[in-house]
């Protein structure tokens, strides 16, 4: 995807549901100040799961769905039945509608579509229904179990809510899902297959099964249960695993000429996207990082930029020992001497790791950072790790005039994706 090879694609709307609550401004103000959203798990008994901390989305209900012009075409009975939503679909619909309203668009917009990334989809419904089937002998299984729980329904719920009749796709590629979704959506708009696309990511995976599964893999933190707010510490020497997070981050994408013609607010541009695979291991990245480097350098080249044009990196930065060290080394190799002048941060230090939605969280963070001239920090930097020797904007954000940012995303199955965001 090359900016110089077609019309520039811009972000004209942003919507967020995060562990801080509903709304992009609440999200931005919280990460700008370096506020941790990690806390002790209280939604279920985690005392025997090893990891007892997470960054879930709580207190969000169907009543938080914002009204839009043209909502009379949306069946009110359907809207009012929360049992027909997984949590990922619900927060996805809320964030999508905030982004749609922010872009000044209406329900039923013609030639518009939806492309979403999600790792788990309705996994909360699936876990609950499996329990009901095997323990309760099927007595409580809902007839909606299948359509609610499958990952593909996430985009369908958003399409139904906004009455968008174009593409309605879900990319489920693990951690890179929403980076890939936004890269794919931008290509569809650039190629003229849609006038506007609602894209992003949503995941709500803080469930007993997911916590236990990740703990068994030794992927989540177990060393900081007594101080939840300090549990996610990317690049810190004492990091021992990620904090499982949740949330939905959505963007509206359209051509720059179309956006300017209708007087839309423009946050940033999607200038270059690349995706590679190590083809190495189910859960570990290749130690040499060659394909991570290739994804970054291809994204920069496809954006029509040079490495020295990048002023900010939104790191994948999960807070695991191997991931953070390998990513740091790869950024150094990809950017050469310019790495000494790069600043970057991991929003996961504050919101945990929202799985397939993490790429969209980073892209929203970078878009707002470029538009507002402020780079959020990586919090919980207590003891520097010599293996992670980049400028990670430790503990306190800073004002900065940045023209372009790189958003990194690395995932299980050796997947690597990168997107270059430009200031408009």
């Amino acid at each position: 995807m090359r900016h110089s090879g077609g019309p520039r694609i811009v972000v004209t709307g942003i919507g967020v549901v995060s562990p801080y609550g509903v709304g992009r401004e609440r999200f931005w103000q919280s990460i700008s100040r370096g506020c941790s959203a990690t806390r002790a798990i209280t939604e279920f008994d985690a005392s025997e799961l090893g990891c007892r901390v997470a960054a879930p989305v709580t207190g969000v209900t169907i009543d938080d769905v914002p009204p839009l012009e043209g909502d009379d075409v949306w069946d009110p009975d359907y809207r009012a039945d929360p049992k027909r939503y997984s949590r990922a679909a619900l927060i996805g619909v809320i964030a999508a509608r905030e982004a749609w309203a922010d872009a000044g668009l209406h329900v039923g917009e013609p030639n518009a579509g939806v492309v979403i990334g999600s790792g788990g989809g309705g996994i909360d419904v699936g876990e609950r229904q499996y329990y009901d089937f095997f323990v309760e002998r099927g007595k409580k299984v809902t007839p909606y179990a299948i359509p609610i729980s499958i990952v593909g329904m996430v985009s369908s719920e958003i399409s139904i809510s906004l009455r968008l009749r174009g593409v309605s796709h879900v990319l489920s590629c693990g951690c890179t899902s929403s980076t890939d979704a936004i890269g794919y959506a931008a290509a569809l708009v650039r190629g003229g297959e849609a006038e506007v696309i609602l894209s992003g990511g949503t995941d709500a995976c803080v469930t007993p099964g997911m916590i236990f599964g990740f703990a068994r893999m030794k992927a989540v933190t177990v060393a900081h249960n007594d101080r939840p707010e300090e549990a996610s510490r990317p690049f810190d020497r004492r990091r021992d695993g990620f904090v499982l997070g949740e949330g939905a981050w959505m963007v509206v994408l359209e051509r720059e000429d179309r956006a300017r013609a209708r007087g839309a607010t423009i946050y940033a541009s999607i200038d270059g996207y690349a995706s590679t695979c190590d083809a190495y291991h189910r859960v570990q990245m290749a130690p040499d990082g060659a394909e991570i480097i290739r994804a970054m350098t291809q994204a920069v080249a496809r954006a029509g930029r040079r490495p020295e044009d990048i002023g900010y990196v939104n790191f994948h930065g999960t807070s695991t020992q191997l991931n953070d060290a390998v990513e740091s080394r790869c950024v150094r190799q990809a950017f050469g001497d310019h790495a000494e002048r790069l600043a970057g941060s991991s929003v996961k230090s504050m919101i945990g790791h929202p799985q397939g939605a993490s790429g969209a969280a980073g892209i929203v963070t970078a878009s707002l950072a470029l538009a507002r001239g402020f780079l959020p920090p990586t919090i919980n930097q207590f003891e520097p790790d010599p293996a992670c020797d980049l400028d990670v904007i430790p503990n306190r954000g800073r004002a900065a005039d940045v023209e372009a940012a790189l958003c990194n995303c690395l995932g299980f199955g050796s997947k690597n994706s990168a997107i270059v965001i430009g200031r408009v």
Side-chain angles (χ1 to χ4, degrees), residues 352-364:
H353 189 345
Q355 300 302 290
S358 63
I363 290 165
V364 165

Side-chain angles (χ1 to χ4, degrees), residues 47-130:
S47 60
E48 298 182 2
L49 299 183
C51 176
R52 300 193 296 275
V53 300
V57 171
T58 58
V60 176
T61 71
I62 198 75
D63 294 330
D64 291 302
V65 174
L68 284 173
E69 184 176 334
D71 263 344
D72 54 312
V73 301
W74 190 14
D75 180 353
D77 294 331
Y78 187 89
R79 179 184 188 277
D81 188 353
K83 294 180 181 179
R84 300 189 189 186
Y85 287 97
S86 67
R87 289 199 300 122
L90 175 60
I91 63 176
V93 165
I94 294 170
R97 289 169 69 84
E98 182 190 24
W100 209 245
D102 186 36
L105 299 170
H106 308 307
V107 170
E109 191 82 20
N111 199 16
V114 178
V115 179
I116 304 298
S118 183
I123 195 165
D124 58 315
V125 176
E127 275 194 28
R128 188 168 63 248
Q129 294 301 304
Y130 279 129

Side-chain angles (χ1 to χ4, degrees), residues 311 370 373-375 398-404 423:
L370 266 59
F374 189 86
L375 307 180
R398 65 178 74 133
D401 187 23
V402 174
E403 287 295 326
R423 188 175 70 179

Side-chain angles (χ1 to χ4, degrees), residues 31-57:
I31 65 170
S32 298
R33 297 195 303 268
C35 300
S36 175
T38 303
R39 60 172 178 76
I41 296 171
T42 58
E43 287 71 28
F44 50 85
D45 182 6
S47 60
E48 298 182 2
L49 299 183
C51 176
R52 300 193 296 275
V53 300
V57 171

Side-chain angles (χ1 to χ4, degrees), residues 348-362:
K348 293 183 182 71
S349 65
M350 295 173 274
I351 64 168
H353 189 345
Q355 300 302 290
S358 63

